[in-house]
Structure formats: C-alpha cells, structure tokens
Amino acid sequence: MTRSLVATLLVALLAVPLARVTGQAPIGAPAADSTRLPAALFVTWDGDPTTTVSIDWHLHAGTDLPTIAVRGPGLRGWRTVTGEPVVFPHSTRHVRRARITGLRPGATYRVRVADRTYTYRTMPARLDAPIVFAEGGDTQPDDATFGATNRMVARHDVAFALIGGDLAYSNGDPRLVAREERWFETVSRTLVTDQGRLIPVIAGIGNHEVFGARDTSAAFAEMIARTGVRVGDATYYRALHAHARERQHGVIDVGDYLSLVLLNTGHTMPIAGEQTEWLRTTLASRRAVPHLFPVYHVPGFPSVRAYAASNSAAVRAHWVPLFEEAGVRAAFEHHDHAYKRTMPIRAGRPDTSGVTYLGDGAWGAGPRPIGRDHQGEAQWYLHRTASTRHAIIVTLDRNSAHFAARDTTGAVIDSVRVPRRAGDVAPAASRAGRQ
Ligand SMILES: [Fe+2]
C-alpha cells in the first residue's frame, strides 16, 4: 500500500463521524438509551454564517450536558464549549445553547455531543463555487411528512434549510408542547447528511407559531393562569430559535453574495409601519448583494387562498414596491400549502425584469387544491402550480439563481433560472415616463 493511499484512507476515516462508524443511533432517534443523550440537536445562525454557528441541545428532565466540543481548522485540539441555559417553555425539557465564534469560512468542523460526533460546515466567504440550499415552509412536526422532505433535502447535500414559517403547528400553545419537542427531534434525525453533517436551519415566523386560542371554559382560564401564556406571543419560536429572541424579523447576510431577509407577515408585528421602514433601509444598504431574497409566510400572490386576503394585500401594498425598486429577482412565500411559481412581476403585471414569487409552503403540510379560494377569478400571475409536497433546491452561482422544486422522492416538479440582481431598479412608472 503506498504512503499516499494510506494517507487518503486516514483522511477518509477521520472524515467519517463516530456515530456512523459505530452504527449508533443519531440524536433525536427513539432509542432505548435515548434519555442519557440529548433529546434533540439544533443548528442555526445567530451571527455570521461564515465564521460562527449557534448550536442548541435539548435535554430530558433530570439530565444535563453542560458542554459540547468542537475540533477543526484554526482550533487547537478539541475546544470545549459550555452551553448557556435556555428555558424550553411549558416543557419538562430544558435547552443549552452555544454560539461558537472564530471559525474559518468554508471549513468543516467536527462537533462532539455526548458520545456522538457530527460535522458542521461554515459558509464560504465568497461565491467562488455554486452554493446549494433548500427552501420551503409549513413543515409540521412528524417524521412521515416533514421528515420525508428533510431526507430528500439532505440527499442534495444542502448547505442549509430555509423555512418560511408554520413549523411545528404548536400555535404557541402549552397544551401542544409535544409538537415542538417532536419537531426538533425530527430535525435532529433527518436534517443530517449520510456523512453526519448537521444542516443548519433558518426558520421564519408563521401564524402557527403564535398563540391565538380563545375559549370561555374554566379549564382554559385555569390553563392561561397556570402557564402565563399570552395571546399574540410566539412563545416557542422566540425561545428555541436563537436569531428570533429579540425580534421576529431580521436579515442574515452570508459573505458579500447572499442576504436572506426574514419578514413577519403580521404575526407578532404589523406589516406596515416600523417593519416596512426597516425593510426599506435593509434593502438600501445591500445594493451590491447579487442574491437577496425576501422570505415571509403569507403570500402576496397566493396560489390557494384569496387574492384579496388582508395580509396578502398588505404585502403587495407595502413590500412589493420596495422589492421592485431594489431589483429583487425572487421572493419566497408560503402558507397556502401548494407549489407555485409566478410570472416575473413588476408594477402589477408580467415583466421579465420583475420579481418571481416562489412558494407556497408544502414542505410537510398536506397540499391543498390550487385556486381553492379564488372563486373563479383567473390568477394571471400563476405561471406553474402543483398541489404537491416539496422543497425548492436553490443553486446560486455568480450570475444566477436556479430553483428546482422537488417532491419528496426528489423528482423535479418545476425549475427555473433567474438572473442575479443588477442593483437598484427604477420603478416601472418612472421608467415608462422616460421612454
Ligand atoms: Fe400559515
């Protein structure tokens, strides 16, 4: 055996996470010994995705695991990281959270949690090679639905999963806490590649994150008094998604090539006013970013529900003109539980220089019939539709973004290539005025 072959085999062996080598069940699996392991493992970003990672581990009642360890480029041996305690609302479980900083861009790290070892990959600082991620929404907690799409997504070796709201369908309700627990277990088990790489999740807010139940019964009043849950609060979402603690909208910038603008379609704050002004300044300060995608729950251009629905109308009135002025080429919408791709739209009509709206949220939720609430109106803006569970596999290169909607088997149900942003674009009306 040559020296180079030995070296290659050693590198390959080191790259295989311990959990895979030993055949141990991953965290989140319902194994007999699972109570001595964390119940779930969750990776997201609450900082720069090229140099940091935020890791939560959910712990069963009566257990603790204060530290995890990380090893890789720029670190001397295993770095032990202590997790800050985070309350898992209304659950017997509790959470520890670590934000690990000072990592190298585009590098792979080993992450040791109890006796399981995974890998994590930082995002590259530059778009020198194509980047692939998954997008969708309306997941639900269960393995058979959410998990099936997750496995398809993991097979595509995506850098991260971007989910536009309606996650576990707990409605922020203390009585439905098991759905939250199960959602994170499903992520732990299924948003991991065959090589044991943990896929970070960036999740926005939807209506099913928010407590809105109203009931006149004594039992309901007792539950409210006992748990302290408040109508309008996104109890679990704020606690369990590191980037959502302070506010439930924000922007995640990746290097100088990608910005994900997470918006809140009226769930814990209004569309108009402060959030729209924030969007205006957020877009203005990112004129040179070639790939900028707004991500939000309620669609401005719905495939199933009524065009006149108030939140959809508010998206079109307040945000769509800003997208168009900023030269946005694609936006992600959800909530309707179907697949849709609109025509490129500018100033309320098809325009090849406009924004393509992709959606409409059926990652795990049961698909609905297209046009169900359209009452016979022809929806001029719908270019492709399918009543199918799916995720959109997005591939970015320097000049374009390619979107392939894939069903849970991986079959392509639609695909389109959209050019990169060219920077600010004058509104259609003023362009017409110059002609
Ligand atoms: Fe929804």
Side-chain angles (χ1 to χ4, degrees):
M1 194 178 291
T2 66
R3 187 173 293 180
S4 65
L5 182 56
V6 171
T8 302
L9 285 172
L10 270 174
V11 167
L13 189 61
L14 286 171
V16 177
L18 184 64
R20 305 286 159 169
V21 173
T22 60
Q24 292 171 320
I27 287 168
D33 66 346
S34 63
T35 53
R36 69 183 177 79
L37 285 171
L41 194 55
F42 187 67
V43 179
T44 188
W45 288 304
D46 185 25
D48 182 349
T50 69
T51 58
T52 74
V53 63
S54 179
I55 303 180
D56 283 12
W57 53 106
H58 296 193
L59 292 150
H60 294 281
T63 69
D64 199 5
L65 180 69
T67 62
I68 60 174
V70 184
R71 180 179 187 138
L75 305 179
R76 283 189 193 154
W78 285 99
R79 181 201 281 183
T80 300
V81 183
T82 303
E84 297 295 320
V86 172
V87 173
F88 193 142
H90 316 302
S91 174
T92 58
R93 294 180 183 178
H94 61 115
V95 176
R96 281 188 177 268
R97 172 172 298 163
R99 187 209 256 186
I100 302 167
T101 59
L103 305 178
R104 290 194 180 156
T108 298
Y109 290 83
R110 299 175 78 191
V111 179
R112 194 169 64 204
V113 181
D115 62 355
R116 304 294 194 264
T117 305
Y118 296 89
T119 61
Y120 160 72
R121 195 168 69 206
T122 52
M123 294 296 291
R126 293 160 49 92
L127 189 53
D128 291 332
I131 284 172
V132 181
F133 67 92
E135 205 290 332
D138 306 76
T139 51
Q140 299 205 338
D142 301 306
D143 191 280
T145 52
F146 180 32
T149 307
N150 289 351
R151 289 189 188 89
M152 180 278 287
V153 157
R155 285 197 297 275
H156 284 82
D157 198 29
V158 296
F160 60 89
L162 175 61
I163 301 177
D166 280 7
L167 309 173
Y169 286 73
S170 67
N171 306 323
D173 191 324
R175 298 166 296 182
L176 299 177
V177 64
R179 293 185 185 179
E180 291 287 337
E181 294 170 348
R182 201 159 70 238
W183 191 87
F184 286 96
E185 290 168 12
T186 304
V187 167
S188 307
R189 210 165 47 240
T190 58
L191 277 178
V192 53
T193 68
D194 279 349
Q195 287 71 43
R197 183 175 62 79
L198 299 163
I199 298 173
V201 176
I202 304 169
I205 189 171
N207 52 300
H208 282 291
E209 273 63 71
V210 180
F211 186 66
R214 285 179 169 74
D215 185 336
T216 56
S217 71
F220 185 78
E222 185 279 324
M223 187 277 290
I224 295 286
R226 177 169 42 81
T227 61
V229 67
R230 287 175 290 130
V231 168
D233 194 5
T235 317
Y236 302 112
Y237 180 67
R238 281 191 300 105
L240 302 175
H241 296 264
H243 55 80
R245 278 171 302 190
E246 305 299 328
R247 56 184 189 177
Q248 292 81 55
H249 67 289
V251 58
I252 295 177
D253 296 309
V254 186
D256 60 357
Y257 56 88
L258 171 64
S259 292
L260 303 168
V261 183
L262 270 58
L263 296 168
N264 183 332
T265 33
H267 310 297
T268 54
M269 71 183 306
I271 288 171
E274 181 188 334
Q275 188 179 191
T276 293
E277 289 313 305
W278 173 87
L279 174 62
R280 190 189 307 278
T281 57
T282 298
L283 294 175
S285 59
R286 288 167 178 76
R287 291 193 171 97
V289 179
H291 297 291
L292 183 147
F293 303 119
V295 186
Y296 48 90
H297 189 63
V298 176
F301 298 92
S303 59
V304 172
R305 299 188 216 226
Y307 186 71
S310 61
N311 279 5
S312 293
V315 167
R316 295 193 299 273
H318 297 285
W319 294 349
V320 163
L322 300 182
F323 300 161
E324 295 178 1
E325 282 177 35
V328 169
R329 302 308 302 256
F332 296 115
E333 306 191 319
H334 312 86
H335 184 56
D336 269 19
H337 302 186
Y339 173 71
K340 70 110 185 277
R341 168 163 62 95
T342 70
M343 315 286 284
I345 298 167
R346 174 174 295 283
R349 51 178 176 265
D351 182 326
T352 53
S353 72
V355 185
T356 297
Y357 297 84
L358 294 134
D360 240 351
W363 187 299
R368 295 180 176 132
I370 302 298
R372 186 195 66 183
D373 300 344
H374 290 172
Q375 300 177 321
E377 298 168 6
Q379 299 304 323
W380 59 269
Y381 52 83
L382 293 176
H383 189 54
R384 292 277 190 277
T385 55
S387 185
T388 307
R389 256 188 208 105
H390 69 278
I392 302 171
I393 305 295
V394 184
T395 305
L396 305 179
D397 62 34
R398 288 187 178 185
N399 299 314
S400 65
H402 181 263
F403 304 91
R406 293 179 179 270
D407 68 16
T408 54
T409 70
V412 175
I413 55 177
D414 182 34
S415 68
V416 65
R417 187 176 295 280
V418 169
R420 59 165 282 173
R421 283 173 78 212
D424 286 5
V425 176
S430 60
R431 287 191 303 139
R434 286 200 301 271
Q435 289 172 352

